[in-house]
Amino acid sequence: MPELPEVETMRRGILAIEGATITAAEKVRCRCKPISIKPNPATIRRRVVGKQVQQVGRIGKRVVIQLENDDRLLFEPRMTGLVLVTDPPSPEHVRFRLEFSRGEKEVLYWDRRGLGMVYLLNDQQYQQRFGLRNLGPDALEVTGPMLKEIFGKSSRPIKVALLDQKKVAGIGNLYASEILHVAAIHPAKRCDKITKNQWHLIAQTTIDILQTAIAHEGSTLSDGTYRNALNDPGGYQNMHRVYDKQGEICPICMDTPITRIVQAQRSTFFCKTCQKRS
DNA sequence: CATATGTCCTGAGAGC
DNA sequence: TGCTCTCAGGACATAT
């Protein structure tokens, strides 16, 4: 589930490696099926060891370690990946590790289910892979007019559209429901029926919720998987209004139970009273 | 181009 | 108790 706030928290958790030099980079042997590491670990080692970390960034839901030669090492956590600088939740799920000069702590990529990836891209590969054709603008940067331009002619339901990373980067299943609840928009509303004022509200709400979630270091759900770089849980789950709360009373109207529906094979949670179709 | 669907993976929980 | 089954949802390949 790591979405923008969780990945941003991971990024901030390893900022101290900026300026340090990588002294080791290796795949960690584990009993589970190996995750995807591209190119192969030996090639990654050859290209990153001895290189200085210029910047630790984020592109959508990926952590980007940019090196002095503009090669970039990416961690893509997908469902259960974590970027850690300390004791992993379970040692057997550590998949990759980096060591640094200056006495910086090692950085681990941990992934219980192993759907995530570690990969290295040169500058050209990176620009192509994450150009605006393949990845939308960051969700923290959206405006009402931008959203109207991006989605305004689509017939898709707004909740499904918000998950499309080619349109806007960073929103996932959890925050899509939370955003639409605060913006008081029905998740099944067609994009082409959404007004200019509603696009403005969605943009504002998106930024507000994601920033608040970052301030609380993301959401650790009941499965407890997500952790920050120090293996501590996030805090934003305590501020969820609708996600995974079917049957509970809506905190806004204090009257209607939260409804769960399925859209594009994913759960959506909303309040039938606060989020009208109109 | 836009949109929909199947795939990967593990562990938790349900049902028997 | 222990087995089998279903489900969770990131990104991407493939199909329409």
Side-chain angles (χ1 to χ4, degrees), chain A residues 59-209:
Chain A
I59 183 92
K61 301 174 191 171
R62 302 161 179 91
V63 174
V64 182
I65 299 173
Q66 184 176 349
L67 307 179
E68 54 186 299
N69 58 359
D70 286 338
D71 274 1
R72 290 169 173 88
L73 186 64
L74 285 90
F75 293 126
E76 185 175 300
R78 299 211 182 168
M79 289 302 295
T80 53
L82 296 179
V83 177
L84 298 160
V85 295
T86 182
D87 336 291
S90 57
E92 70 269 25
H93 294 113
V94 175
R95 314 291 187 141
F96 196 85
R97 53 188 290 279
L98 292 171
E99 286 179 10
F100 299 92
S101 62
R102 301 197 314 201
E104 296 300 337
K105 290 178 184 161
E106 65 177 354
V107 166
L108 306 177
Y109 178 73
W110 177 99
D111 197 332
R112 174 154 45 78
R113 282 163 66 180
L115 295 179
M117 299 180 64
V118 175
Y119 50 99
L120 181 67
L121 301 176
N122 66 31
D123 195 41
Q124 187 194 344
Q125 290 168 327
Y126 180 83
Q127 302 300 341
Q128 183 180 338
R129 181 103 185 252
F130 300 115
L132 281 188
R133 195 158 298 161
N134 296 316
L135 195 72
D138 195 80
L140 287 176
E141 309 287 327
V142 294
T143 65
M146 278 168 62
L147 293 183
K148 185 168 165 48
E149 168 73 20
I150 292 167
F151 294 118
K153 290 179 178 163
S154 168
S155 62
R156 295 157 110 188
I158 177 62
K159 170 5 175 98
V160 175
L162 286 175
L163 298 180
D164 187 341
Q165 303 299 299
K166 288 185 171 63
K167 300 292 190 290
V168 169
I171 300 171
N173 202 48
L174 188 165
Y175 292 100
S177 281
E178 293 293 323
I179 288 164
L180 292 175
H181 181 246
V182 172
I185 300 193
H186 196 289
K189 192 176 177 86
R190 289 168 54 124
C191 287
D192 56 9
K193 303 292 184 193
I194 291 175
T195 66
K196 179 183 153 200
N197 281 346
Q198 287 178 319
W199 285 122
H200 176 70
L201 187 56
I202 293 171
Q204 227 177 12
T205 306
T206 297
I207 292 170
D208 181 51
I209 287 185

Side-chain angles (χ1 to χ4, degrees), chain A residues 4-14 58 213-214 216-218 226-229:
Chain A
L4 188 152
E6 291 75 30
V7 177
E8 176 63 17
T9 303
M10 295 175 195
R11 180 188 81 84
R12 295 181 183 189
I14 60 167
R58 177 183 57 77
I214 291 168
H216 290 263
E217 300 195 287
Y226 166 72
R227 304 276 156 166
N228 68 15

